[in-house]
């Protein structure tokens, strides 16, 4: 399985701080994606980084990808209470996405 | 979520009964997926479709079947529900293979 594994499993920070989440995977990928899930809701696509890209930005999100280490990180800057959610990395290969188990982020007001 | 709806949102059924979950999209996307989400397992792919009447198995397909007779609908059927199929089921759509998915709001299924 090329399921991504996120680290840490849970993260608690103060509002305004930065949150860094990591994802490791095992096999080749076409791209890697990050999703957010609020409690009781479906997943929402945040950002996609292709295998030939090293860094990508979207608003307060910064994603890096190191294919030699088979790892990615998601940085959320200046976190807000509304960022409280579960975050999943997903690896894309052969038309399918394989998801990790997720990271629970709590942002304290 | 805009463009994709799942029905029902909640269902309680008895062991051994057949159950069908429906995913409907208005985006005309080619790819449709069924995942289940369980604590400690994340999301696992059950079946997916890459076109009308074109489907393939995912990693946890045993006990499930799917059908896609038209672009907008993707049905997931539990032939004979078991307690291990108690889960939250998510449908997702994608315009192209490997692109970002749009997820439905999920169906919470309880098998008693």
């Amino acid at each position: 399985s090329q399921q991504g594994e996120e680290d840490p499993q849970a993260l608690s920070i103060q509002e305004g701080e930065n949150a860094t989440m990591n994802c490791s995977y095992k096999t080749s990928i076409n791209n890697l994606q990050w999703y957010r899930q609020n409690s009781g809701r479906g997943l929402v696509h945040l950002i996609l980084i292709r295998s030939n890209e090293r860094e990508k930005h979207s608003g307060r999100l910064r994603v890096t990808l190191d294919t030699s280490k088979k790892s990615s990180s998601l940085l959320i800057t200046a976190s807000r209470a509304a960022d409280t959610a579960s975050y999943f990395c997903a690896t894309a290969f052969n038309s399918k996405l394989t998801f990790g188990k997720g990271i629970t982020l709590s942002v304290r007001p | 979520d805009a463009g994709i709806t799942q029905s029902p949102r909640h269902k309680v059924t008895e062991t051994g009964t057949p159950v069908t979950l429906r995913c409907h999209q208005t985006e005309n996307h080619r790819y449709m997926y069924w995942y289940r989400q369980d604590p400690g397992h994340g999301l696992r792919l059950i079946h997916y479709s890459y076109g009308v009447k074109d489907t393939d198995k995912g990693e946890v397909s045993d006990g499930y079947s799917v059908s896609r007779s038209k672009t907008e609908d993707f049905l997931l059927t539990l032939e004979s529900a078991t307690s291990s199929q108690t889960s939250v089921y998510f449908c997702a759509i994608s315009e192209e293979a490997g692109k970002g998915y749009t997820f439905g709001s999920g169906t919470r299924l309880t098998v008693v």
Side-chain angles (χ1 to χ4, degrees):
Chain A
S1 170
Q2 60 175 12
Q3 183 183 47
E5 293 186 8
E6 296 96 343
D7 170 65
Q9 289 188 326
L11 182 61
S12 181
I13 59 174
Q14 200 75 31
E15 200 166 28
E17 295 179 339
N18 296 339
T20 299
M21 291 167 271
N22 303 300
C23 171
S24 61
Y25 58 93
K26 296 178 181 177
T27 60
S28 299
I29 62 171
N30 299 125
N31 64 65
L32 187 142
Q33 303 175 26
W34 286 89
Y35 288 78
R36 183 187 75 235
Q37 184 181 34
N38 292 94
S39 182
R41 307 291 297 273
L43 280 74
V44 174
H45 180 254
L46 294 176
I47 195 165
L48 179 155
I49 185 165
R50 292 182 173 81
S51 59
N52 61 354
E53 296 177 314
R54 293 296 168 257
E55 186 172 315
K56 202 162 183 180
H57 297 255
S58 177
R60 293 185 296 114
L61 305 180
R62 172 178 170 257
V63 172
T64 62
L65 179 64
D66 187 336
T67 52
S68 66
K69 295 181 180 179
K70 292 185 166 56
S71 67
S72 173
S73 67
L74 172 67
L75 169 68
I76 303 175
T77 59
S79 64
R80 306 166 181 168
D83 294 327
T84 294
S86 294
Y87 291 81
F88 295 83
C89 72
T91 51
F93 188 72
N94 283 350
S95 306
K96 294 178 285 188
L97 281 188
T98 303
F99 288 83
K101 297 179 182 180
I103 298 170
T104 301
L105 173 65
S106 298
V107 181
R108 304 186 301 273
Chain B
D1 289 294
I4 178 172
T5 55
Q6 292 185 233
S7 59
R9 290 296 312 276
H10 302 271
K11 185 170 182 67
V12 180
T13 192
E14 293 186 350
T15 299
T17 60
V19 177
T20 295
L21 308 183
R22 181 183 184 232
C23 179
H24 178 77
Q25 61 144 330
T26 58
E27 303 297 321
N28 200 36
H29 285 346
R30 178 181 175 189
Y31 293 87
M32 299 186 76
Y33 305 84
W34 277 108
Y35 285 86
R36 60 178 289 176
Q37 185 176 31
D38 304 287
H41 291 278
L43 280 88
R44 293 179 291 174
L45 181 64
I46 306 171
H47 282 281
Y48 68 102
S49 171
Y50 46 96
V52 174
K53 298 186 179 178
D54 291 323
T55 64
D56 205 350
K57 297 178 179 180
E59 64 178 299
V60 290
S61 59
D62 287 348
Y64 302 95
S65 62
V66 290
S67 67
R68 192 169 178 200
S69 59
K70 45 187 178 177
T71 299
E72 55 265 37
D73 289 326
F74 192 33
L75 304 180
L76 176 70
T77 298
L78 289 66
E79 303 291 347
S80 177
T82 68
S83 59
S84 65
Q85 293 176 313
T86 292
S87 186
V88 180
Y89 291 85
F90 286 100
C91 177
I93 60 174
S94 177
E95 188 174 13
E96 293 180 25
K99 277 204 162 181
Y101 289 7
T102 300
F103 278 82
S105 299
T107 294
R108 183 173 295 275
L109 177 68
T110 303
V111 183
V112 298

